[in-house]
Amino acid sequence: MIETIVLDVGETITRDDRYWHSWADWLDIPRHTLSALVGAVVAQGRDNADAVRLARPGIDVAAEYHAREAAGRGEFLDETDLYDDVRPALSGLRKLGIRVIIAGNQTARAGQLLRDLDLPVDLVVTSGDWGVAKPHSEFFERVLEVAQAAPWETVYVGDHPANDVFPAKAAGLRTAHIRRGPWGHLWADDPALRAAADWQIDSLTQLTTITAG
């Protein structure tokens, strides 16, 4: 029996297009260049922020983030950043009586922007809110606290093997890997990922089938 579904944010419920385009515009480099660098570091299993560091060697990413915010060109999310299946899937899960939580590696500001969208969920929380990020085990301990269900009754849904599927599985949760975004597509057929994921899905609407079963 599944009691709680917990969803990652980037490339699980939101598209990362705006995020990377805004960074490219801020750095005054072609958007395609930064996108290609993101793809390169993803394929190497590196932190995606390394794409920014490659574009501007020596950059202090955190300081630059604050400079963008101060200039009024910081993080922003609205309805157009959501994948089309998000609201139908979340609403369907709530109708089934499933507790639905969004918990990902985002800033506190991103968390507030998500809460402002009034999604049909029980809770939205980010690593910025908690002060601990995936794949750290403490993040998933916090996930289980807010899940209000046993680990085997909780499913963590995400696109990234190293940040989502593997550490969630190590924490005792059940896992669903979504084939979405660069990470989701790149590693979808990886044998280790297939072994760790309880389910592999192409759309969030498939989660209602999982819980109903």
Side-chain angles (χ1 to χ4, degrees):
M1 176 68 71
I2 303 302
E3 298 288 341
T4 304
I5 298 281
V6 186
L7 300 105
D8 171 45
V9 179
E11 293 303 342
T12 297
I13 66 167
T14 64
R15 302 173 184 272
D16 281 346
D17 307 50
R18 187 199 301 269
Y19 179 83
W20 291 113
H21 288 173
S22 65
W23 265 111
D25 294 346
W26 177 257
L27 297 172
D28 194 27
I29 61 174
R31 291 177 174 182
H32 173 70
T33 297
L34 189 58
S35 293
L37 288 172
V38 172
V41 299
V42 166
Q44 294 170 6
R46 295 164 59 180
D47 181 351
N48 56 18
D50 283 347
V52 176
R53 298 183 181 101
L54 287 170
R56 287 287 181 272
I59 192 173
D60 183 330
V61 177
E64 208 68 21
Y65 173 89
H66 291 301
R68 287 181 54 199
E69 291 289 337
R73 295 174 60 183
E75 281 189 282
F76 183 76
L77 283 170
D78 66 16
E79 194 71 23
T80 64
D81 295 296
L82 298 176
Y83 276 100
D84 292 341
D85 58 357
V86 171
R87 286 193 181 274
L90 300 184
S91 296
L93 291 170
R94 292 289 293 277
K95 288 178 182 176
L96 290 172
I98 302 296
R99 180 169 171 79
V100 182
I101 296 170
I102 293 172
N105 272 0
Q106 271 70 35
T107 63
R109 173 170 169 74
Q112 187 56 55
L113 291 168
L114 285 167
R115 286 187 282 272
D116 289 344
L117 294 179
D118 195 26
L119 294 166
V121 299
D122 295 280
L123 178 69
V124 174
V125 68
T126 68
S127 57
D129 297 322
W130 280 341
V132 62
K134 296 180 294 183
H136 200 288
S137 60
E138 185 182 342
F139 181 94
F140 292 95
E141 291 170 9
R142 299 293 295 271
V143 164
L144 284 170
E145 288 174 8
V146 298
Q148 299 179 14
W152 57 89
E153 298 172 327
T154 305
V155 180
Y156 192 84
V157 185
D159 62 301
H160 198 299
N163 279 351
D164 301 325
V165 177
F166 296 154
K169 194 71 173 181
L173 286 77
R174 303 180 80 180
T175 58
H177 177 257
I178 186 164
R179 191 187 191 103
R180 177 174 281 177
W183 297 269
H185 284 94
L186 181 62
W187 283 301
D189 295 323
D190 179 75
L193 173 67
R194 285 181 170 271
D198 294 282
W199 299 276
Q200 286 193 285
I201 59 175
D202 297 306
S203 169
L204 294 178
T205 55
Q206 291 173 257
L207 293 172
T208 55
T209 302
I210 289 171
T211 56

